[in-house]
Amino acid sequence: MATLAEPEHDFSKLPDLPDDVFTAPLKKPEHVGDDWLEPKQTVYDSEDDAIWDDLFKRQMEMLPGRAATAFMEGTEKLDLGRGGVPEFGKLSEELGKLTGWSVVPVPMLIPDHVFFWHLANRRFPAGNFIRTRETFDYIQEPDVFHDVFGHVPMLTDPVYADYMQEYGKAGWKAMRYNRLKALGSLYWYTVEFGLIEEKPGDIRAYGAGILSGPTEVVYSVEAESPNRIMLNVDRVMRTDYVISDLQPTYFVISSFEDLYRQTVERDFDKLYKSLGAGFTYANTAVIDVDYVVNRGTLEYTLRGGRGSGAKPV
């Protein structure tokens, strides 16, 4: 059966990118190789460490009862609050014992095919810099706090860790069909902004984009504005998303096993052949196939979102 990934690929080395695959061009810094890995992790100073500690404290005050149990347990297992920016070598040693993953430093956003390759080898690329006080509340490019605090605790969950590796392998199939936008939408609505219903009526966040910022933690699980819809992979991969504001719609899973089954066991060859190059559904849409947990008022979005000063209610 055709699946999410490309089983014939050898991921022991970075595969060549075919000429007929369309990806966003990124200028590689001269000091990194084709793998885009930094020679070593940044040596953070006392102010950098203080920024990490302040961000960590703020988030941990917001997350109990709102963050997925797996995430909260992951932060404890990795002791991310031990003080200062975590040292990747030590973090990788601890994470490796749990699920075989490691954390590696990269200078910036990296090309899709390189990112997929690292995930396929159970390496999570993390930004080798931290935000400033001036960008404390919002930063456009993911920094070490978003990447390590937001993403890495979930990699202590064995099923989720396997899902992330399979997603990395899947990237090569999506590129072959030039359907990176569709696969990117799946990443956005699960890895970055996913919700999980841990028990009836108890919806929590597991997506890093939610967990690494204070406003969306509350908004995503408690506000009346956003739609909350049970995950349907085919539907999600046809759905547009918001990059620089709170999401009008979130997708909810019932378990990480369910997420794994819906994606890794899906016939993606057939799906990619049926998808158009663009998105079918707006990020505000509720359609007839949706299992709706909460049909939102969309008040925040309709009032103009962040740029208008609308309250995230």
Side-chain angles (χ1 to χ4, degrees), residues 58-59 62-63 66-67 137-138 146 188-189 192-195 204-223 226 228 242-250 300 306 312:
R58 181 180 70 173
Q59 290 310 109
M62 305 291 294
L63 293 180
R66 297 181 177 119
D137 292 325
Y138 177 74
H146 169 85
W188 191 262
Y189 283 119
E192 290 290 354
F193 292 94
L195 302 179
R204 303 190 183 199
Y206 69 90
I210 300 173
L211 298 170
S212 58
T215 303
E216 201 146 8
V217 171
V218 179
Y219 175 85
S220 65
V221 299
E222 297 177 10
R228 298 181 188 91
V242 175
I243 295 177
S244 58
D245 208 337
L246 305 177
Q247 302 302 307
T249 298
Y250 298 91
Y300 173 78
R306 178 178 286 131

Side-chain angles (χ1 to χ4, degrees), residues 5-307:
E6 290 276 40
E8 67 272 18
H9 268 308
D10 174 14
F11 291 102
S12 62
K13 61 181 180 179
L14 183 64
D16 293 327
L17 190 64
D19 293 335
D20 59 350
V21 168
F22 310 137
T23 62
L26 293 173
K27 183 174 175 57
K28 182 167 66 69
E30 294 183 359
H31 70 282
V32 300
D34 290 340
D35 60 9
W36 283 66
L37 294 185
E38 292 274 24
K40 61 181 180 179
Q41 184 184 6
T42 294
V43 177
Y44 293 100
D45 61 26
S46 59
E47 173 59 11
D48 295 330
D49 286 334
I51 289 173
W52 172 280
D53 291 342
D54 290 346
L55 287 165
F56 182 88
K57 181 176 183 294
R58 181 180 70 173
Q59 290 310 109
M60 293 305 291
E61 290 174 350
M62 305 291 294
L63 293 180
R66 297 181 177 119
T69 300
F71 178 87
M72 298 300 289
E73 291 177 347
T75 62
E76 292 184 9
K77 290 174 183 176
L78 299 174
D79 193 17
L80 293 184
R82 71 186 72 179
V85 180
E87 196 275 310
F88 286 6
K90 177 67 173 174
L91 187 61
S92 296
E93 180 182 343
E94 295 165 342
L95 188 59
K97 292 176 182 177
L98 294 169
T99 59
W101 276 77
S102 63
V103 182
V104 292
V106 293
M108 53 188 281
L109 287 173
I110 63 177
D112 292 316
H113 69 292
V114 181
F115 179 68
F116 294 144
W117 177 62
H118 285 305
L119 294 187
N121 285 281
R122 298 176 91 89
R123 294 187 294 264
F124 192 83
N128 204 22
F129 62 96
I130 195 165
R131 68 194 70 183
T132 63
R133 292 287 176 186
E134 290 70 31
T135 57
F136 192 83
D137 292 325
Y138 177 74
I139 186 170
Q140 287 188 320
E141 188 170 351
D143 68 342
V144 69
F145 185 78
H146 169 85
D147 285 337
V148 172
F149 179 85
H151 285 283
V152 172
M154 287 303 308
L155 293 174
T156 64
D157 182 272
V159 178
Y160 186 86
D162 287 347
Y163 168 74
M164 287 292 286
Q165 181 179 32
E166 292 299 325
Y167 184 93
K169 294 178 181 178
W172 292 86
K173 178 176 289 188
M175 287 191 295
R176 179 160 59 82
Y177 284 99
N178 281 310
R179 291 295 178 263
L180 283 178
K181 283 179 69 68
L183 189 67
S185 190
L186 177 63
Y187 189 90
W188 191 262
Y189 283 119
T190 60
V191 177
E192 290 290 354
F193 292 94
L195 302 179
I196 181 170
E197 187 171 34
E198 296 198 339
K199 58 185 179 182
D202 184 11
I203 292 180
R204 303 190 183 199
Y206 69 90
I210 300 173
L211 298 170
S212 58
T215 303
E216 201 146 8
V217 171
V218 179
Y219 175 85
S220 65
V221 299
E222 297 177 10
E224 292 297 321
S225 286
N227 300 313
R228 298 181 188 91
I229 300 170
M230 296 306 292
L231 180 71
N232 176 312
V233 169
D234 291 32
R235 189 263 208 253
V236 163
M237 293 180 75
R238 292 177 167 89
T239 305
D240 201 358
Y241 51 89
V242 175
I243 295 177
S244 58
D245 208 337
L246 305 177
Q247 302 302 307
T249 298
Y250 298 91
F251 290 92
V252 185
I253 60 173
S254 59
S255 67
F256 296 117
E257 289 81 4
D258 174 55
L259 173 63
Y260 189 90
R261 284 193 301 270
Q262 281 202 58
T263 51
V264 176
E265 296 178 7
R266 175 69 170 87
D267 184 347
F268 273 72
D269 288 277
K270 183 178 180 180
L271 176 58
Y272 286 144
K273 290 175 183 177
S274 70
L275 290 176
F279 292 120
T280 304
Y281 305 120
N283 51 45
T284 56
V286 176
I287 63 175
D288 57 359
V289 300
D290 288 338
Y291 185 102
V292 181
V293 179
N294 176 74
R295 180 148 191 168
T297 64
L298 296 179
E299 178 181 342
Y300 173 78
T301 301
L302 294 174
R303 287 187 182 277
R306 178 178 286 131

